[in-house]
Structure formats: C-alpha cells, structure tokens
Amino acid sequence: MKEEGGVPVRVGGGGSAILLAPSILSADFGRLAEEVRAVEEAGAHWIHVDVMDGHFVPNLSVGPAVTRAVRAATRLPLDVHLMVRHPDRFLEDFVAAGADRITVHQEACVHLHRTVSRIRELGVEPGVALNPATPVETLREILPLVSLVLIMTVNPGFGGQSFISGSLGKIRRARDLLAAEGLGGIHLQVDGGIGPTTAPGVVEAGATVLVAGSAVFGYHGGAAEGLRSLAAAVSSFRHGWRAV
Ligand code: DX5
Ligand code: ZN
C-alpha cells in the first residue's frame, strides 16, 4: 500500500501503527539517492522533504528539483514540509515534482482554508504544521480538511536542534482535540529533535508519524542503522516503556 511504505512499527500490543519519516535535510546530498534507498530498505515509511525559503525560517534548503530527484530514487510517499511564506505560489511545482503530501504552516497562510483546499484539488494529501508557540486550538476549524497535523518540537529552520521540553503536553492536547472532533484518523506528526531518546515519549503522547533527520542520516553507523535504531526505540514502547 503506497501510503504506508514499509512495515509500520506496531506499539501498544496491536495499537496504532507508527510511521517513520526520515528527513533528507541531514542526508549527504552528494549521495542523496543512495541515502534515500538505504532508509527505504531499512523500513522507512515516508521520505520527509524540508523546504525552507530564508524568510519564514532563517535558512535555505531545497526545492522542486531536489524533490524530483528524490522521487526518482524511491517509491515511498514524499512528505513535503513547506517552511515558506506564501506557499500557494509553489504548490503546483511540488505536485509536479512528485509530492504525495504537502504540509503548510498555519503561521504562513493568511487564507489557510484556501491553501489546504487547493492542495486537495491538486490531488495530494494536505497537512498543517504548528510552530512551538502556536496553540493547537487554532486548528479546530481546519481539521476536517486536513489529513495530517504536524506539531513542531523545535523552532523550524535547522536540523540537529534539541527537542523542546513541554512539547509532550502539546502533542497530548492535539491528540485530545482530534479525538474530541471525531477525527482520530488524522496523522499526528512530530518533527524536531526526534531520536531514540525522545521517540517513546512522543509516541506515548499520541504522535503517529515521527520525522527524524540527524538521528537517522547523522547516525554514526549510517542512515540504515539510524532508521533501525529509531524503530527499535519505538518498538520498546510496546514492551513496557512508560514516560516518567
Ligand atoms: C526542522 C525541520 C526538520 C528537521 C529535523 O526545521 O522541519 O524536519 O530536518 O531535524 P532533526 O531530526 O535533526 O531535529
Ligand atoms: Zn520538517
């Protein structure tokens, strides 16, 4: 099934499937196709593509051309995270480049309903992301139109930052809001500072899709081992791990 990619990690004794979405931001761009194939073979479910414009966030990264190159390297769904002002200008370009999902920031969209509707019209799955300081309640009206909510657990713009403490409460609030609205099937994604140490806690709080850049592509044993290490940490939750 295209949506799921590899074999989902199951937690909680038959509970929800947890999807792993390695972010190419921390990959070796000189060997990008090889890096992407390595995480696909190791069991990644989606490939996360971080797009930064130097305005919405204080950094530049990649655009449609690199997205197209990743598309050619893998059959996994491409999960494009647009950290850009005025994302509407680029939606068609990313769809043409092979995006399967496009997530925009609530803070970057004056007309979020229009942007999300347009993503759907283009035939890809819309997501909406929140910066750490933006309350989850601001999403209530848009939830029925999206298939993914992304809770940023760092201030977006750079890989390798530390997970912001206090994010677990926000993930729980997002999970509770989705449940209260009868929308528990929406993916609850977390992004920033996710690795074997933080993954069990975010899963317990309700996250269903984990983005990880440096923990996978920066892993000392290589990206495939990094992905397996993350998967093992998530699986440990099933065997009795609990947050303290
Ligand atoms: C941060 C990006 C993330 C980033 C995560 O602005 O949205 O996807 O790649 O990197 P790590 O996992 O290293 O925190
Ligand atoms: Zn991201």
Side-chain angles (χ1 to χ4, degrees), residues 174-184:
R175 175 195 59 194
D176 292 346
L177 177 61
L178 292 174
E181 298 290 316
L183 296 167

Side-chain angles (χ1 to χ4, degrees), residues 71-107:
R71 176 72 291 155
T74 181
R75 298 182 64 182
L76 293 181
L78 298 191
D79 174 37
V80 175
H81 176 194
L82 294 183
M83 288 163 277
V84 304
R85 281 190 195 159
H86 311 302
D88 308 67
R89 293 179 298 179
F90 305 108
L91 298 176
E92 289 182 31
D93 292 341
F94 281 100
V95 172
D100 296 283
R101 325 185 59 91
I102 296 180
T103 296
V104 295
H105 271 260
Q106 185 262 33
E107 303 88 354

Side-chain angles (χ1 to χ4, degrees), residues 203-222:
V203 169
E204 184 180 53
T208 60
V209 186
L210 310 189
V211 176
S214 52
V216 173
F217 291 105
Y219 193 75
H220 57 82

Side-chain angles (χ1 to χ4, degrees), residues 5 101 113 225:
R101 325 185 59 91
H113 184 282
E225 281 306 309

Side-chain angles (χ1 to χ4, degrees), residues 2-26:
K2 191 181 181 207
E3 172 73 11
E4 303 299 344
V7 179
V9 179
R10 294 221 165 254
V11 298
S16 313
I18 303 301
L19 304 179
L20 303 181
S23 162
I24 62 162
L25 189 65
S26 295

Side-chain angles (χ1 to χ4, degrees), residues 23-26 48 50 52 57 81 83 105 150 152 154-162 191-195 211-216:
S23 162
I24 62 162
L25 189 65
S26 295
H48 186 81
D50 284 308
M52 304 177 181
V57 291
H81 176 194
M83 288 163 277
H105 271 260
L150 168 52
M152 290 304 303
V154 298
N155 286 295
F158 303 92
Q161 302 182 82
S162 298
D191 184 2
I194 303 298
V211 176
S214 52
V216 173

Side-chain angles (χ1 to χ4, degrees), residues 58-152:
N59 197 7
L60 291 165
S61 61
V62 303
V66 170
T67 304
R68 193 172 295 111
V70 176
R71 176 72 291 155
T74 181
R75 298 182 64 182
L76 293 181
L78 298 191
D79 174 37
V80 175
H81 176 194
L82 294 183
M83 288 163 277
V84 304
R85 281 190 195 159
H86 311 302
D88 308 67
R89 293 179 298 179
F90 305 108
L91 298 176
E92 289 182 31
D93 292 341
F94 281 100
V95 172
D100 296 283
R101 325 185 59 91
I102 296 180
T103 296
V104 295
H105 271 260
Q106 185 262 33
E107 303 88 354
C109 299
V110 176
H111 301 290
L112 182 60
H113 184 282
R114 177 180 290 147
T115 304
V116 164
S117 301
R118 181 67 185 142
I119 294 170
R120 249 192 211 292
E121 276 171 21
L122 290 169
V124 301
E125 295 289 333
V128 60
L130 293 182
N131 284 335
T134 309
V136 296
E137 290 73 18
T138 60
L139 293 185
R140 187 183 298 275
E141 304 304 326
I142 201 69
L143 286 178
L145 289 184
V146 301
S147 73
L148 178 147
V149 168
L150 168 52
I151 303 294
M152 290 304 303

